[in-house]
Amino acid sequence: MKSYRTDQRTARAHRQHQRFERRYGLVGAYLVADAFAITGWWWRTAVMECWARRAQRAGRPESDMESAWLWMYPEAVAVARVLLDYDRQRAMRPCGPWTAAEAQLLERLAQLAAALELPSGTWQIPVAQWLHQHHRCMPPMAGAGRPVTALIHADDTQQQSLVERCCLPWDWSDPSVPV
């Protein structure tokens, strides 16, 4: 019964991910890839009880690289929504300043990090890198409030995989890459 709940949570996250990408297109795909990179960094640097429990319920070791994305899928989709809200706020002021948007992003991710019981000071590292990568953006194409595209993603229209779409400089699924 418990593994069924884990499957339900993962299946729900997958449906939300699909709706997210259908609604926001390539911008949504970039944000999901970036969210997986952020949560993957968290997974590689700290042991989260909820992810360890999900792995255990599925009968897999928590350290299994091929299955890890399943353990963090619900949180990755939640992070993608937070990143989207940040980009929407930036769309309201394409030339900045984005102080309020950054503060809200950090507050919402701090709440998620607290719920995951991430060590203080750890969760901000990949988020700071993401903010640095997304500092410059192209104005939204369809008016205020629509997501913007970070310049780092501007020429990435042909990329297909999560790793290829991600703007962060590490591959969380490669154990030989330091985080």
Side-chain angles (χ1 to χ4, degrees):
M1 180 70 155
K2 288 183 180 183
S3 64
Y4 177 69
R5 282 191 5 214
T6 300
D7 291 341
Q8 278 187 324
R9 184 177 296 139
T10 301
R12 185 176 330 115
H14 184 65
R15 287 190 303 272
Q16 292 168 345
H17 171 195
Q18 289 178 318
R19 282 193 302 269
F20 189 83
E21 284 196 26
R22 272 195 308 271
R23 183 165 184 190
Y24 300 108
L26 201 52
V27 171
Y30 293 143
L31 295 175
V32 168
D34 293 347
F36 266 106
I38 289 169
T39 55
W41 194 95
W42 293 345
W43 173 77
R44 291 263 316 266
T45 58
V47 175
M48 266 63 76
E49 283 299 316
C50 69
W51 294 345
R53 283 191 306 272
R54 290 176 197 165
Q56 184 180 26
R57 287 181 194 137
R60 305 290 301 171
E62 180 198 357
S63 61
D64 179 14
M65 292 276 187
E66 292 181 11
S67 303
W69 66 276
L70 291 169
W71 319 150
M72 62 184 139
Y73 208 156
E75 289 77 17
V77 172
V79 169
R81 280 194 218 108
V82 174
L83 301 180
L84 173 71
D85 289 345
Y86 170 76
D87 270 353
R88 284 177 151 172
Q89 288 183 39
R90 290 191 324 150
M92 300 292 198
R93 303 182 84 153
C95 297
W98 300 315
T99 308
E102 287 179 13
Q104 184 180 28
L105 171 90
L106 293 173
E107 179 182 329
R108 290 180 62 197
L109 290 178
Q111 292 171 355
L112 180 60
L116 288 171
E117 299 179 3
L118 281 164
S120 181
T122 300
W123 68 267
Q124 296 98 326
I125 295 168
V127 175
Q129 181 70 36
W130 185 85
L131 284 169
H132 175 73
Q133 296 287 68
H134 280 243
H135 184 70
R136 294 177 27 154
C137 65
M138 296 175 11
M141 299 296 268
R146 296 293 299 165
V148 296
T149 299
L151 286 179
I152 195 159
H153 291 302
D155 296 326
D156 292 348
T157 57
Q158 301 303 314
Q159 296 177 342
Q160 296 300 315
S161 73
L162 282 174
V163 172
E164 291 171 328
R165 289 177 177 164
C166 181
C167 70
L168 295 168
W170 62 83
D171 178 0
W172 65 268
S173 64
D174 183 351
S176 66
V177 175
V179 289

